[in-house]
Amino acid sequence: GQSLEQPSEVTAVEGAIVQINCTYQTSGFYGLSWYQQHDGGAPTFLSYNALDGLEETGRFSSFLSRSDSYGYLLLQELQMKDSASYFCAVLLTLSNDYKLSFGAGTTVTVRA
Amino acid sequence: EADIYQTPRYLVIGTGKKITLECSQTMGHDKMYWYQQDPGMELHLIHYSYGVNSTEKGDLSSESTVSRIRTEHFPLTLESARPSHTSQYLCASSGLAGEAGELFFGEGSRLTVL
């Protein structure tokens, strides 16, 4: 089977830094994605890591360690609009293609 | 901005009714997916398609069915809705970017079965 674990919720103040960890156990692992979802709306793609290391995109960065089956999303200079749910998702190889399986999500609440 | 559309956005129906949730994308993507999500919970893959006339069941067993007659269209049908089908259904698509873990999602269809 497969599993992804991430914290259920995180609260921080504006301007702070938040790290959301994601650990996974799965076969056919190809890469790790992160998505943001506001109020149950359309999830939007944030980042993707296929190789070990840090990927930086503006205020958000994502990290992957394949040997540790672990990744994280780093949110810097938190803003109120960053209050949302954040999902890690593993990209898995199939016999002829790929599919994405999601974790349970982390609710981030940003306070003034 | 993603060009993937779902209708209806909200639907309240009685038990036993047949419903079809529509999903269309204008990006020419070969790959399309249906995810089911309960409030505050994870997304579960229930169906996917890698092209016309290709459909596969996902990780979560679902009584719904799908079809893929045209590249841009991937409707989901429930022949006889039950209260246990109450949920949000999210449609997504990917092109080559899917190989980099990037899906484009629609706004979702929130279904309530009474």
Side-chain angles (χ1 to χ4, degrees), chain A residues 6-22 34-40 46 59-61 72-88 104-112, chain B residues 40:
Chain A
Q6 55 181 123
S8 59
E9 53 185 280
V10 173
T11 300
V13 297
E14 274 187 298
I17 298 173
V18 161
Q19 178 173 316
I20 303 171
N21 298 322
C22 176
W34 288 91
Y35 284 77
Q36 179 190 61
Q37 185 181 37
H38 282 101
D39 297 327
L46 292 177
R59 294 186 296 112
F60 295 176
S61 303
Y72 66 72
L73 179 70
L74 194 69
L75 287 64
Q76 302 181 76
E77 300 172 21
L78 275 179
Q79 301 176 8
M80 297 296 288
K81 66 178 182 180
D82 298 329
S83 291
S85 292
Y86 293 83
F87 295 86
C88 62
T106 299
T107 300
V108 172
T109 302
V110 182
R111 294 184 174 169

Side-chain angles (χ1 to χ4, degrees), chain B residues 8-80:
Chain B
R9 290 290 311 281
Y10 302 91
L11 181 62
V12 180
I13 60 169
T15 296
K17 299 293 186 182
K18 177 181 178 178
I19 62 132
T20 296
L21 304 180
E22 303 287 349
C23 177
S24 295
Q25 50 95 5
T26 59
M27 296 172 282
H29 287 168
D30 285 329
K31 301 166 192 174
M32 297 189 74
Y33 314 82
W34 278 103
Y35 286 86
Q36 183 176 344
Q37 183 184 33
D38 291 329
M41 303 296 285
E42 66 198 277
L43 288 76
H44 292 284
L45 181 66
I46 54 175
H47 298 283
Y48 58 97
S49 167
Y50 290 140
V52 171
N53 294 324
S54 149
T55 61
E56 301 286 345
K57 290 192 177 294
D59 303 323
L60 182 68
S61 176
S62 173
E63 293 168 341
S64 58
T65 59
V66 292
S67 62
R68 189 85 184 277
I69 298 173
R70 303 198 314 266
T71 298
E72 63 272 20
H73 197 212
F74 191 40
L76 181 146
T77 298
L78 275 167
E79 291 292 333
S80 179

